Amino acid sequence: MNKAGKLSSDASEKGDLRMPAKVDMDKIVSLCKRRGLVFPSSEIYGGLASCWDYGPMGVELKRNVRDAWWKAIVHERDDVVGLDTSIMMHPGVWAASGHIDSFTDPLVECKSCHLRWRADAIEGKGCPKCGGELTEPRMFNLMFKTSMGPVEEEASTIYLRPETAQGIFVNFDNVITTSRKKLPLGIAQIGKSFRNEITTGNFIFRTREFEHMELEYFVKPGTDEKWLDYWVKERFDWYVKLGIRKENLRLRQHGKDELAHYARDCYDIDYLFPMGWSELEGIANRGDFDLIQHAKHSGKELGYYDAEADEKYVPYVIEPSAGVDRSVLAFLIDAYDEEEIEGEKRTLLHLHRDLAPIKVAVLPLSRNEKLTPLAKEVFNKLCPNFVTDYDDSQSIGRRYRRQDEIGTPFCVTIDFESLEDKQVTIRERDSLAQIRVPIEELDKILEAKLKGEAFDASPLWATREK
Ligand code: ATP
């Protein structure tokens, strides 16, 4: 949550014209539709504003983003554990966290066309659509309300969570007492969040239903500044490691007037989206605000006893909070490329191998009764180990292009020679280099390449795709 006191938060979304992004959003939206990454929600009914569905390729890409985060944050460390809490929580949680009072944006409505706008995200005095007069701003709570149980009465009003963080804070004691871990300790969660945003848009950048990847890292007060610096660096490096170019990322510290009510300090990692620099992830020092608030409102003590030092304290918390969907968008934009090969345009995604929806495509040179059994055999051998696609429709050139467009790092081609010599060709997406390898060793070779081993461009067997 970063609403309160953040009145000019979206200035950058209107477009920072200093450094125009190299690809416009329409190209990304169209590629996503064409190749089964992202579809408009309920499309056959005309769609639903700001809601999107992930198609067969998109669901793989999104899973890979989540998995890469979980691996880096939970599995590769011994000081972070995972959690999965419910979307609907006791309403007291949101009173304690400040969401009921402060999770608001200033809303204005056009008196002639009745469109609603976020007061802080528009320029000038009139309606951006028709120029009409706007109402005075009123604060609009962004939480979705619903009612629990069959009777819609005040007592049963609950909210869909606008962040996953609160599920972590209210379980702090459960985790500390059952995990037998010492501080500093992180608790991580990935899950859906809901915000009734006034202004949505820019494809999956800002939607009303989205997925959060949040870490609450509990530390001893006094060590919080050091840990904030640590996590800012870790998170920045994560995007770079997964292929985002450094020059398209920047760090921005929040000014004092911009900090949310719970934050002592906060940095945004911004990405250069086509509409300008905009937030990709926020990393905040939340101090002891949340544990103190929940202790006060629930009546349960929430603190930590350090047995070695025989001392008791309420931990401070450092929170890196990222959006899965917004990360997917940044990875797609950064990976997008168009090049010309021998007079023909090639569109490709230079996605990092860990993120690519399909790792290997098995492509028989043509749909032919002699080739099919061997090609199927190769596919069956690979698919238990790698996400593998089998495609024998249309020309081989077209099939390569299709795989390039979804960022498949390796294509394996089976040709008539393969029937004789039991070898196949591996083609690498970015360099277009090809190597011929024995089917026997295919698994092992692909595994090494998918772990980052250089693609062997040995002149003996490497050629460039004609
Ligand atoms: P913004 O200023 O863009 O509204 P925020 O500062 O309120 O975002 P946080 O509460 O810090 O966002 O959430 C952390 C991350 O969750 C954001 O950096 C973004 O990646 C993602 N996120 C937040 N709101 C949305 C949304 N409406 N749609 C998609 N992703 C979102």
Side-chain angles (χ1 to χ4, degrees):
M1 165 173 69
N2 230 337
K3 298 292 166 198
K6 212 182 146 189
L7 290 182
S8 58
S9 63
D10 276 352
S12 59
E13 259 179 86
K14 281 179 270 159
D16 176 342
L17 298 178
R18 278 169 306 160
M19 283 174 68
K22 65 186 166 76
V23 51
D24 57 56
M25 198 70 96
D26 290 349
K27 283 197 171 168
I28 299 291
V29 177
S30 135
L31 172 74
C32 284
K33 176 80 202 288
R34 193 166 70 239
R35 292 297 180 210
L37 285 146
V38 182
F39 306 128
S41 163
S42 326
E43 196 181 5
I44 59 168
Y45 286 94
L48 179 65
S50 101
C51 293
W52 300 91
D53 297 340
Y54 287 81
M57 293 302 115
V59 73
E60 298 291 342
L61 172 58
K62 199 174 172 191
R63 275 174 80 132
N64 294 340
V65 169
R66 281 193 218 107
D67 288 352
W69 187 89
W70 196 261
K71 184 163 175 272
I73 299 288
V74 185
H75 289 169
E76 289 179 352
R77 318 179 54 102
D78 69 350
D79 58 350
V80 178
V81 293
L83 196 67
D84 185 9
T85 69
S86 67
I87 286 172
M88 296 180 282
M89 300 179 74
H90 190 286
V93 169
W94 309 113
S97 65
H99 280 86
I100 289 178
D101 291 336
S102 313
F103 193 54
T104 51
D105 272 338
L107 172 77
V108 288
E109 188 172 319
C110 173
K111 289 182 182 169
S112 25
C113 73
H114 298 286
L115 276 181
R116 290 172 168 193
W117 306 93
R118 253 176 81 169
D120 57 319
I122 54 175
E123 275 163 5
K125 290 210 157 94
C127 168
K129 176 91 186 294
C130 72
E133 195 189 336
L134 297 170
T135 58
E136 282 301 307
R138 67 185 169 87
M139 293 317 267
F140 174 78
N141 194 294
L142 300 187
M143 281 199 293
F144 277 97
K145 259 190 208 167
T146 185
S147 44
M148 193 143 206
V151 188
E152 274 192 43
E153 52 187 41
E154 191 55 30
S156 62
T157 296
I158 57 157
Y159 302 92
L160 302 186
R161 69 179 177 200
E163 61 178 32
T164 66
Q166 300 305 322
I168 297 178
F169 296 128
V170 301
N171 274 291
F172 173 73
D173 207 46
N174 282 335
V175 175
I176 282 286
T177 49
T178 55
S179 68
R180 301 166 50 81
K181 299 253 186 200
K182 294 200 178 97
L183 255 52
L185 176 69
I187 307 178
Q189 167 153 238
I190 300 179
K192 288 261 178 164
S193 291
F194 302 83
R195 297 180 180 184
N196 202 359
E197 304 272 5
I198 298 164
T199 316
T200 54
N202 288 318
F203 194 30
I204 50 174
F205 177 87
R206 185 180 301 287
T207 51
R208 297 195 171 100
E209 172 182 343
F210 62 96
E211 233 170 305
H212 258 138
M213 305 186 279
E214 297 194 296
L215 167 67
E216 306 303 324
Y217 194 76
F218 298 91
V219 305
K220 186 174 178 180
T223 65
D224 47 312
E225 287 176 17
K226 177 187 91 184
W227 282 112
L228 178 65
D229 290 349
Y230 170 87
W231 279 110
V232 167
K233 183 171 182 319
E234 279 292 296
R235 295 302 305 140
F236 192 97
D237 291 349
W238 184 78
Y239 291 104
V240 175
K241 199 177 133 206
L242 287 172
I244 295 206
R245 277 156 292 186
K246 257 194 189 151
E247 64 265 29
N248 291 339
L249 290 168
R250 74 172 186 198
L251 273 181
R252 196 180 68 81
Q253 188 176 17
H254 283 206
K256 287 269 173 277
D257 57 334
E258 200 189 349
L259 286 174
H261 64 276
Y262 54 77
R264 304 169 73 88
D265 197 359
C266 186
Y267 286 84
D268 284 348
I269 298 175
D270 288 348
Y271 177 71
L272 186 57
F273 286 95
M275 65 282 185
W277 288 102
S278 306
E279 176 182 333
L280 182 57
E281 166 161 356
I283 301 132
N285 179 353
R286 298 179 74 120
D288 55 10
F289 176 84
D290 304 274
L291 291 182
I292 297 246
Q293 282 296 104
H294 286 303
K296 215 190 289 172
H297 283 250
S298 68
K300 298 277 184 313
E301 200 183 327
L302 293 175
Y304 176 71
Y305 174 62
D306 179 344
E308 264 166 45
D310 188 24
E311 115 185 85
K312 221 172 164 181
Y313 57 84
V314 178
Y316 275 19
V317 67
I318 307 301
E319 177 195 69
S321 172
V324 179
D325 315 77
R326 211 176 273 186
S327 302
V328 165
L329 183 59
F331 285 124
L332 281 172
I333 292 168
D334 222 75
Y336 187 91
D337 198 9
E338 286 172 10
E339 52 178 45
E340 210 178 284
I341 296 177
E342 287 162 17
E344 251 191 70
K345 193 179 108 179
R346 173 167 95 122
T347 303
L348 75 159
L349 293 180
H350 296 281
L351 283 174
H352 188 279
R353 53 188 183 274
D354 290 354
L355 300 182
I358 302 286
K359 310 296 179 198
V360 187
V362 173
L363 312 174
L365 196 59
S366 59
R367 187 180 290 169
N368 175 288
E369 59 184 25
K370 289 209 178 93
L371 288 182
T372 304
L374 182 63
K376 287 272 177 194
E377 194 187 310
V378 170
F379 172 77
N380 289 333
K381 191 169 140 89
L382 298 180
C383 67
N385 302 326
F386 318 102
V387 181
T388 310
D389 188 23
Y390 182 90
D391 188 3
D392 64 0
S393 62
Q394 297 182 312
S395 76
I396 188 77
R398 281 192 168 210
R399 281 180 277 152
Y400 281 147
R401 299 292 169 262
R402 194 180 305 153
Q403 297 298 333
D404 289 341
E405 281 206 334
I406 54 168
T408 305
F410 300 111
C411 290
V412 170
T413 312
I414 290 95
D415 54 27
F416 289 98
E417 256 180 78
S418 308
L419 301 172
E420 309 298 322
D421 65 5
K422 300 283 179 256
Q423 297 204 358
V424 291
T425 304
I426 310 178
R427 166 207 187 255
E428 199 263 339
R429 176 195 68 202
D430 296 346
S431 63
L432 295 177
Q434 303 194 358
I435 55 177
R436 199 150 169 95
V437 303
I439 293 174
E440 276 277 280
E441 288 173 44
L442 189 57
D443 260 71
K444 245 184 13 215
I445 294 171
L446 284 171
E447 194 188 329
K449 304 292 174 213
L450 285 164
K451 282 194 177 137
E453 187 185 271
F455 199 78
D456 190 349
S458 142
L460 273 181
W461 39 337
T463 53
R464 217 158 129 95
E465 182 191 330
K466 294 285 174 318

